[in-house]
Amino acid sequence: MIIVGGETMHQDVKKILISHEEIDEKCQELGQVITDYYKDREDAPILVALLKGSVPFLAALIKYIDLDIEYDFMDVSSYEGTESVRDVRIIKDLNRSIKGKDILLVEDIVDTGHTINEIMRLLENKGANEIKVVSLLDKPSRREVDVEADFVGFVIPNEFVIGFGLDFDEKYRNLPYVGVLKDEFYQ
Ligand code: IMP
């Protein structure tokens, strides 16, 4: 471990992009915006979080949402099917019906956009009423489909990031900040 500016940095990390404190402040802001957006509705939204990356973000965010929300999880794997069309396979589905419900999809990062695009289609097919997306991170320069999150924490450059739920080979999800992995780990 190396101490950098008060935050303990993992030795495999090249630089810290977003500190834990900045993430917490942003979750507070997002929580307020989300609360204001839904507060006059009869029913609070159901938060649908995508495993595994969005778990730390979900936990940080819900503390600041002042509504009677519920949350549930989905796990999907994305793959390129025939004729280069992306498809998603459901590994874990929702536990309850969402027919007629407002859904707030919780993502760690929107990159190419394929994942939220496909999940939104799945949720529509399940009869959801309104579907909105909140994402901690957004990499707009990598987008391949025309889809945007409605609530975004941080727009980041085209760098592979780890920490706060994001992994490389299933590692580093537990880092309390978002950082860039040292180049040597990609080879
Ligand atoms: P998309 O379908 O390309 O938008 O990608 C979404 C998923 O790809 C995210 O939920 C992440 O699991 C993964 N992902 C995209 N960019 C990164 C990154 O920089 N670090 C770690 N995982 C990433």
Side-chain angles (χ1 to χ4, degrees):
M1 294 281 186
I2 306 154
I3 308 291
V4 178
E7 192 121 39
T8 309
M9 192 163 94
H10 191 288
Q11 61 196 4
D12 299 352
V13 171
K14 183 159 73 176
K15 65 175 177 210
I16 293 175
L17 214 55
I18 310 164
S19 71
H20 184 256
E21 198 187 356
E22 287 171 310
I23 294 171
D24 190 59
E25 275 170 19
K26 188 61 79 176
C27 287
Q28 204 166 338
E29 267 174 51
L30 285 171
Q32 187 61 57
V33 172
I34 289 165
T35 302
D36 287 346
Y37 181 76
Y38 289 103
K39 68 171 187 259
D40 295 326
R41 299 193 189 187
E42 204 168 316
D43 294 315
I46 299 173
L47 274 60
V48 172
L50 295 183
L51 294 171
K52 304 168 192 168
S54 68
V55 169
F57 178 44
L58 176 77
L61 179 66
I62 54 173
K63 294 186 288 184
Y64 300 115
I65 298 179
D66 189 14
L67 303 164
D68 290 328
I69 56 136
E70 290 179 35
Y71 62 78
D72 202 349
F73 298 97
M74 273 184 98
D75 194 2
V76 297
S77 74
S78 172
Y79 61 94
E80 205 159 288
T82 50
E83 293 164 18
S84 292
V85 176
R86 287 283 191 109
D87 221 335
V88 290
R89 186 164 60 91
I90 300 176
I91 296 164
K92 188 226 166 283
D93 209 342
L94 298 173
N95 288 345
R96 55 159 295 171
S97 162
I98 57 163
K99 208 169 168 48
K101 300 289 180 189
D102 290 338
I103 300 296
L104 180 60
L105 187 59
V106 182
E107 247 298 41
D108 50 2
I109 186 166
V110 183
D111 187 34
T112 64
H114 287 288
T115 305
I116 59 164
N117 195 43
E118 293 302 318
I119 300 282
M120 285 170 83
R121 228 179 45 183
L122 282 171
L123 297 174
E124 268 166 29
N125 288 340
K126 286 173 179 287
N129 181 36
E130 182 194 70
I131 305 165
K132 293 283 174 187
V133 179
V134 58
S135 184
L136 176 64
L137 306 173
D138 186 11
K139 254 195 243 177
S141 58
R142 292 254 311 157
R143 206 71 93 248
E144 289 175 10
V145 285
D146 186 18
V147 68
E148 296 300 333
D150 301 278
F151 311 101
V152 172
F154 303 91
V155 175
I156 61 165
N158 185 13
E159 281 187 290
F160 190 84
V161 289
I162 50 164
F164 214 78
L166 291 142
D167 74 304
F168 177 68
D169 220 4
E170 292 300 325
K171 273 177 73 183
Y172 313 112
R173 291 191 196 274
N174 59 322
L175 299 181
Y177 49 81
V178 173
V180 180
L181 193 63
K182 284 182 181 166
D183 298 330
E184 65 215 60
F185 292 94
Y186 295 107
Q187 275 103 53

